[in-house]
Amino acid sequence: MAVSWLRQLAARSCVPVYPVWGEHDEALLATLVLSTQIELVDSPRHASVLLVVGEIPATLRDGLKHVHDQLPSPFAVVWFRGAPLIALNAPIHVDEADRLVDTLIRTHRELMLGQRDSASRLLPDEPPNPWEGLGDDGHGGEGMMGGTPYGRPMAMNMQDDLRDGLTLDSLTFRLGPFYPALPSGLCAEITLQGDVIQSWETRHGALPQRLAPVFYAARERPVPIAELELARARYHLVQLYRGLHLAGLERIARHALSLARQLSTASRLDGLRRQLVRSGIFHLAAMDGGQLDTEMAARLGGPAARAAGLDADLRMDDASYQRLGFRPQCRTDGTVRARWEQRLAEIDQSLQLARQAEPDGLHTANTEAVETPRGPWSAKPPQDASALLDQLLPGLEWDEAMTLIASLDSREVAETSGRANI
Amino acid sequence: MIESLASLLMVLVVLALGPYVVAVMDRLVATAPRGALASDVWLGPLSRAAWLLTQHANATEAPDWQAWRLAPALYLALAAVGLALVPWSPTLIATDLVTSVVLWGSVEALATVVIFLHGWSANAVLPLIGAYRYVALGLSYILISMFVLIGAALPAESLQLTQVVASQESLWNVVRQPLGLPLFLVVGLGLTFWGPLNLADSTDLAGGTAAEVSGPSRLVWECARAVMLVAFSGIAATAFLGGWLGPWLPGPVWVLLKTLFVLALLLWLGQWLPRVAPERCVTLMWIVLLPLSFVDLVWAGVLALWA
Amino acid sequence: MEHSIFVDIAFLLLAVLAVVAGWRVFRTDSMVRASFFLLVSFIAVGAIMMLLAAEYLGVAMFFMMAVEMMVMALFMVMFMMNPAGLNPMMMVHQHRLSIIAGAVAFFILAAMALFSSFPADPLPAGLDPVRSLGHEMLGDSMLIFESAGIVLLATMIGVVVLSSHRGRYGAAEEGSVPPGLEPGGDPAGQPEKGESEGGHEHHHHHH
């Protein structure tokens, strides 16, 4: 039974999971990342289990099918709090967060031991464009270059180069809606020359995000400031995790996330900040770009606006916060670095406010206007600002662009807290 | 005859054990300060390898199949050539060419080709970007590597690694040429696109050249990367840390210890440094590190004339 | 110096590899593949040189050709109208001329191989090929090699200066464009923009 021991061993491996995030709350991310039995991977090719979290809107179902079919067999799909696509038979469905990790592990085990068949493909396995090559080499047509063998014409320098006049061939492709370095749902048509982005057209905005329930509660009744500020710090730490994961600093990223999970008024940011400074990320990563002008910053609101020097924070209008002596912190230059420094400063400030408010059990006073960690929510919640990327990204190198996107929180905030309340 | 067989065996053993050692050490380095040691550290790499062997290799739209399947194997072969160049003792060495330093240089140059090919042949966007990016990095570190290695060869007055070790009898190159080893470590990170210099298989490209690879070919690719890391550490230990030289213990044990030391250093750097932005990386290489490697070479030359 | 049968076998295999890879250069449909087949061919030749005891030149061939072919593939892909070299394309053209040139070159080389008398000059015992090559290059022929070296170095520095961010005509990000021939005129040395591609935007006006 030579195969059998190999499969036994494979069944014990860490479960490589490719997550597709629909509507969800961020606590789930920490559960998955910090589990020693689960490994979240960046490419569907590297996964054994596809995890679909929450409901996927109908507009993105095709994208989901494409991701689904990219997993190499044997693979399985686990649906968490969302209806499975109709095309699938015998779907694995989980509703409780504490059962999720176990289900993922069990599914992987069953796959490896052959107790479960690999999921079937949803789309036909054929090239997107029919083969149109002619001749021996398929070059076809006239001259050296010929026809359109893969349905793609030869690139003909459609755009003048943005930077140095060195016109290279442009490469146009579509990325998203479930690319891990982009917010979930964001889909864009991108043209590259080399690895410089020539144009970026957002085709589908990011999915709305659900904040912690306390932010929704704060719009209905006074809530304890300590709780609200801890939730805010937690939110920023999760954002920090995403940025650090992208920067390849996996261990500090996990540190940020475990700090978020155990966050209390006694928590300190110093250790994490020290690790970050020592790693040199502020100097080595591409953090000088991504400058927002005042108009863009105002449109985004929240930490991004304050990092660009806008002194706007709804907490200033709240009598309880005024009693705590709250003053918003600002940066001036609005770059990627300023946004990360702003986030770190705001985590520190939130912890400080939580510590001050906790002994008296101070509650918020203003329920009309709440400053969410994403931005101000007075009349309506912060709106999707993915379209800003179309202006910001052209001219940047790929790595700079991805670093910028990670630093820029452009997602819409959902109106209601959804299932997290139930 | 027996010695050459033994040295060949040595290469095969390192080839087989290298990936496991690298995986375990990397996990140990990652969890070191908090000591959250699980049995996973020891069994994890094996079960992961078993999983990759169970997984099917996927296809992309019209890839260059030959190059796509060959690239990981070729990278592994280059790593094996590197291992064969490491002298374990004055006589225990698989390939004792008079130009072994230059042969190592060509391993580095050919690695660039193979890594490019791995990304290019998948016929997919993200691997392709990774591949092109790697070429920019590869062309930058090769010059640094060349100057630093010539510096190490100067006191030996030979391009043979055994002679390079012999020349360190009185003083190791790491002391004699203080710039040499730090610069060479940068080359090592580049050669294996590890940690801060992981521009080819990076997270912003969802795995870069390996983004579209699954199953056994991914396993070979990862093993090749690990073996290359070990081979590089062996060469660095030979060229700068005096190879088999050392008191009390037999030569091969010293080589092993020094190799593991360099390996641990590289893994530690990989865990603690963020990925350097490609543009900044190339600027750093050409404007800071390349002139520094000139300085290293001039330093080595002046010392060699003096002696 | 006697050599073993293995050297003969290795020579034959490498020679076949060199020729077959060279032939594939012209039969493949992609510039990248063509460059790397050429690289394989050169590596086989380098290994043959090592069999001929030219240890330094053989190994130098490996790394020189690896870097050279890599750069060549990259530049061809960058400047030819083929996205990343992934679409198939015809690698041979001007058939008649190349057939004639190839045939002539083959006959000349074959004639040289057949009709010239090669010296039977066995390697002296204890020859150190690296040292003797060094003496050759830095002895009598030093002037030639040094001047070639200086020329190459100057070329390298020139290329780096021209292609760096702070290019000849200003910083690359700000669009480095050569100045006009007369003050305020169109940038010099730019390709003439045809009327057919008038559809998309241009940075500068001209009529």
Side-chain angles (χ1 to χ4, degrees):
Chain A
M1 298 294 278
V3 176
S4 143
W5 65 260
L6 189 71
R7 289 181 166 272
Q8 289 279 354
L9 193 58
R12 296 187 55 161
S13 75
C14 195
V15 187
V17 175
Y18 186 80
V20 165
W21 301 99
E23 277 188 45
H24 65 280
D25 46 65
E26 301 277 32
L28 196 62
L29 181 69
T31 315
L32 292 174
V33 170
L34 297 176
S35 159
T36 52
Q37 292 290 303
I38 305 276
E39 183 199 358
L40 293 190
V41 294
D42 287 325
S43 164
R45 306 292 199 193
H46 300 171
S48 157
V49 180
L50 176 69
L51 169 65
V52 185
V53 181
E55 214 65 61
I56 303 294
T59 45
L60 298 182
R61 296 260 164 87
D62 275 342
L64 178 60
K65 282 182 189 166
H66 276 109
V67 173
H68 176 277
D69 279 8
Q70 283 186 57
L71 272 86
S73 60
F75 77 102
V77 195
V78 171
W79 304 83
F80 181 71
R81 292 184 182 162
L85 293 185
I86 306 158
L88 294 162
N89 42 3
I92 308 164
H93 191 265
V94 192
D95 255 336
E96 299 87 41
D98 43 353
R99 273 189 50 221
L100 179 61
V101 169
D102 286 339
T103 310
L104 289 171
I105 295 169
R106 203 183 56 241
T107 309
H108 176 69
R109 243 191 107 72
E110 288 171 0
L111 270 179
M112 289 301 112
L113 297 176
Q115 294 161 355
R116 170 182 291 282
D117 289 336
S118 178
S120 48
R121 306 284 166 194
L122 300 177
L123 302 168
D125 184 16
E126 57 190 29
N129 298 297
W131 171 255
E132 288 170 11
L134 303 167
D136 300 341
D137 296 328
H139 63 282
E142 302 264 310
M144 275 168 72
M145 304 185 306
T148 51
Y150 297 112
R152 287 183 288 263
M154 292 287 182
M156 296 297 264
N157 303 343
M158 295 308 281
Q159 284 156 315
D160 292 336
D161 182 70
L162 286 175
R163 293 211 302 190
D164 46 12
L166 188 71
T167 314
L168 308 179
D169 290 331
S170 47
L171 182 65
T172 303
F173 61 98
R174 191 173 284 214
L175 196 69
F178 299 113
Y179 184 63
L182 301 181
S184 182
L186 186 67
C187 182
E189 189 150 308
I190 303 160
T191 301
L192 295 179
Q193 269 195 35
D195 74 342
V196 176
I197 293 176
Q198 299 290 304
S199 77
W200 177 290
E201 289 168 36
T202 303
R203 290 296 164 89
H204 191 287
L207 289 176
Q209 58 177 328
R210 237 189 279 121
L211 299 173
V214 66
F215 289 104
Y216 296 97
R219 300 226 356 124
E220 289 158 11
R221 57 179 186 274
V223 293
I225 284 185
E227 195 185 328
L228 193 70
E229 289 306 316
L230 285 182
R232 189 188 311 279
R234 215 171 277 135
Y235 178 94
H236 290 318
L237 281 169
V238 171
Q239 297 301 314
L240 195 60
Y241 163 79
R242 292 186 198 280
L244 293 176
H245 171 73
L246 185 75
L249 273 177
E250 195 59 32
R251 57 175 291 166
I252 307 183
R254 278 161 188 267
H255 184 176
L257 216 49
S258 65
L259 187 65
R261 193 153 73 163
Q262 303 151 5
L263 203 68
S264 72
T265 48
S267 303
R268 300 277 170 197
L269 189 66
D270 304 349
L272 185 65
R273 189 195 288 272
R274 200 163 46 238
Q275 283 184 8
L276 279 179
V277 172
R278 279 189 193 157
S279 77
I281 185 169
F282 292 112
H283 300 287
L284 293 175
M287 292 209 167
D288 295 325
Q291 199 155 16
L292 298 181
D293 58 32
T294 319
E295 190 255 332
M296 290 178 185
R299 198 166 141 203
L300 269 169
R306 291 191 284 277
L310 294 185
D311 188 10
D313 193 319
L314 288 179
R315 286 177 283 180
M316 279 193 295
D317 306 338
D318 187 306
S320 306
Y321 276 100
Q322 285 166 2
R323 265 182 59 196
L324 294 174
F326 171 81
R327 292 286 317 146
Q329 302 201 351
C330 286
R331 299 281 172 282
T332 49
D333 45 355
T335 55
V336 172
R337 182 181 294 113
R339 282 195 284 280
W340 285 123
E341 281 172 352
Q342 177 72 21
R343 251 186 230 290
L344 285 174
E346 294 208 4
I347 296 170
D348 246 347
Q349 192 183 30
S350 287
L351 290 175
Q352 180 65 30
L353 287 169
R355 274 193 287 276
Q356 281 178 301
E358 197 179 35
D360 311 331
L362 198 61
H363 280 55
T364 52
N366 189 348
T367 57
E368 292 300 306
V370 174
E371 180 74 21
T372 72
R374 157 73 179 84
W377 183 352
S378 44
K380 53 182 184 177
Q383 295 299 299
D384 179 48
S386 308
L388 279 185
L389 299 177
D390 298 18
Q391 300 171 47
L392 280 170
L393 297 181
L396 297 185
E397 286 179 8
W398 187 261
D399 176 85
E400 286 178 288
M402 293 300 129
T403 314
L404 188 153
I405 292 173
S407 78
L408 200 71
D409 191 7
S410 63
R411 290 172 297 170
E412 176 185 344
V413 169
E415 288 265 9
T416 55
S417 65
R419 296 183 64 140
N421 262 359
I422 300 168
Chain B
M1 189 64 197
I2 288 180
E3 290 235 291
S4 62
L5 273 182
S7 56
L8 217 62
L9 196 70
M10 208 80 152
V11 171
L12 290 177
V13 167
V14 178
L15 211 56
L17 287 184
Y20 180 72
V21 172
V22 169
V24 168
M25 276 175 75
D26 198 32
R27 280 161 203 244
L28 287 177
V29 170
T31 52
R34 265 176 286 158
L37 279 187
S39 64
D40 199 27
V41 172
W42 306 104
L43 203 59
L46 294 178
S47 58
R48 183 181 154 77
W51 165 62
L52 281 173
L53 282 176
T54 319
Q55 196 187 31
H56 292 199
N58 62 285
T60 56
E61 186 201 345
D64 183 335
W65 281 109
Q66 295 163 352
W68 206 25
R69 290 286 176 256
L70 264 179
L74 288 177
Y75 193 46
L76 189 65
L78 286 175
V81 171
L83 278 179
L85 292 176
V86 177
W88 294 88
S89 81
T91 48
L92 189 63
I93 171 168
T95 319
D96 194 16
L97 275 185
V98 289
T99 52
S100 47
V101 172
V102 191
L103 187 55
W104 172 254
S106 39
V107 165
E108 288 176 355
L110 287 167
T112 310
V113 172
V114 170
I115 295 164
F116 171 79
L117 213 51
H118 188 237
W120 176 82
S121 54
N123 192 13
V125 174
L126 299 170
L128 185 75
I129 301 175
Y132 280 138
R133 224 195 232 179
Y134 186 77
V135 175
L137 172 69
L139 295 180
S140 313
Y141 75 66
I142 279 178
L143 281 179
I144 299 175
S145 163
M146 218 162 73
F147 287 125
V148 167
L149 284 176
I150 293 173
L154 265 179
E157 296 180 15
S158 164
L159 291 171
Q160 197 166 11
L161 279 168
T162 40
Q163 296 294 316
V164 171
V165 177
S167 75
Q168 301 178 62
E169 193 84 57
S170 56
L171 191 61
W172 291 1
N173 276 343
V174 67
V175 185
R176 188 151 50 187
Q177 302 163 9
L179 283 173
L181 186 60
L183 286 172
F184 199 51
L185 286 181
V186 175
V187 173
L189 290 175
L191 178 65
T192 51
F193 43 101
W194 201 269
L197 297 188
N198 184 1
L199 303 187
D201 285 8
S202 57
T203 41
D204 65 330
L205 293 171
T209 70
E212 297 282 346
V213 187
S214 67
S217 14
R218 184 157 172 247
L219 181 65
V220 176
W221 183 244
E222 290 186 359
C223 286
R225 237 177 121 184
V227 175
M228 189 58 104
L229 206 58
V230 177
F232 171 83
S233 307
I235 297 286
T238 305
F240 293 98
L241 297 176
W244 66 76
L245 301 173
W248 310 305
L249 297 171
V253 178
W254 273 117
V255 176
L256 189 67
L257 287 178
K258 290 169 183 176
T259 302
L260 287 176
F261 169 73
V262 177
L263 188 59
L265 199 61
L266 288 172
L267 294 176
W268 184 79
L269 287 174
Q271 290 284 347
W272 275 104
L273 291 177
R275 189 179 60 252
V276 185
E279 194 189 354
R280 198 150 300 189
C281 175
V282 173
T283 311
L284 198 73
M285 293 259 183
W286 289 93
I287 294 185
V288 183
L289 300 182
L290 191 59
L292 277 181
S293 66
F294 276 131
V295 173
D296 178 70
L297 186 56
V298 171
W299 176 281
V302 170
L303 277 187
L305 280 181
W306 200 332
Chain C
M1 211 160 72
E2 273 303 302
H3 57 258
S4 69
I5 180 91
F6 295 111
V7 174
D8 284 336
I9 293 174
F11 169 78
L12 286 173
L13 287 178
L14 288 166
V16 169
L17 179 65
V19 172
V20 169
W23 168 63
R24 292 302 304 167
V25 170
F26 300 97
R27 298 308 307 163
T28 185
D29 61 356
S30 139
M31 292 180 287
V32 174
R33 261 171 257 171
S35 315
F36 292 143
F37 274 124
L38 195 54
L39 174 60
V40 171
S41 183
F42 277 127
I43 287 177
V45 173
I48 291 176
M49 287 167 79
M50 288 177 73
L51 291 181
L52 293 172
E55 283 189 343
Y56 181 82
L57 292 179
V59 176
M61 185 92 151
F62 294 166
F63 79 78
M64 298 298 289
M65 286 306 142
V67 177
E68 220 154 90
M69 291 304 139
M70 187 69 253
V71 172
M72 188 168 98
L74 198 72
F75 273 72
M76 284 200 302
V77 169
M78 270 201 304
F79 292 109
M80 297 286 284
M81 286 157 287
N82 189 346
L86 289 170
N87 267 354
M89 69 183 284
M90 184 84 146
M91 292 302 296
V92 280
H93 43 110
Q94 289 186 299
H95 295 220
R96 189 175 303 161
L97 182 68
S98 27
I99 289 172
I100 293 170
V104 168
F106 177 78
F107 281 116
I108 291 175
L109 287 174
M112 278 167 66
L114 288 177
F115 299 120
S116 59
S117 58
F118 289 98
D121 198 3
L123 283 180
L127 172 86
D128 185 348
V130 181
R131 192 170 293 273
S132 57
L133 185 68
H135 279 300
E136 173 61 33
M137 281 172 57
L138 298 176
D140 293 344
S141 328
M142 183 148 168
L143 186 64
I144 301 167
F145 280 104
E146 283 302 295
S147 15
I150 297 287
V151 170
L152 284 177
L153 183 66
T155 318
M156 270 162 63
I157 293 175
V159 167
V160 170
V161 167
L162 287 180
S163 61
S164 79
H165 262 293
R166 285 163 296 174
R168 191 171 156 203
Y169 302 117
E173 291 98 326
E174 289 149 21
S176 82
V177 186
L181 290 176
E182 69 267 17
D186 278 349
Q190 297 286 295
E192 201 64 40
K193 298 253 158 68
E195 290 307 310
S196 57
E197 50 165 358
H200 58 93
E201 284 176 38
H202 294 303
H203 294 315
H204 23 260
H205 310 278
H206 59 108
H207 281 290

